[in-house]
Amino acid sequence: MATTLINHIEITPGTWVEKPRIAGHRITVQDIMIWHERMGLSPDQIVHHYG
């Protein structure tokens, strides 16, 4: 599982978003957590809406 996370989550120092985000996207891990925890979206729903 750790290898999977390393391949899919990135942090780029010196950019406007230095938070962990989905590799290749501007979507932060925090955004995913909010959509899942507070809005009740399932992982499948998140992928459907945000690719």
Side-chain angles (χ1 to χ4, degrees), residues 16-48:
W16 68 275
V17 177
E18 291 189 10
K19 297 178 181 178
R21 66 182 191 285
I22 306 304
H25 299 277
R26 296 170 90 176
I27 300 172
T28 65
V29 173
Q30 182 179 8
D31 291 335
I32 301 291
M33 289 182 58
I34 290 170
W35 296 332
H36 178 67
E37 296 274 325
R38 295 186 185 166
M39 297 176 67
L41 295 177
S42 71
D44 288 336
Q45 290 171 317
I46 294 169
V47 170
H48 175 74

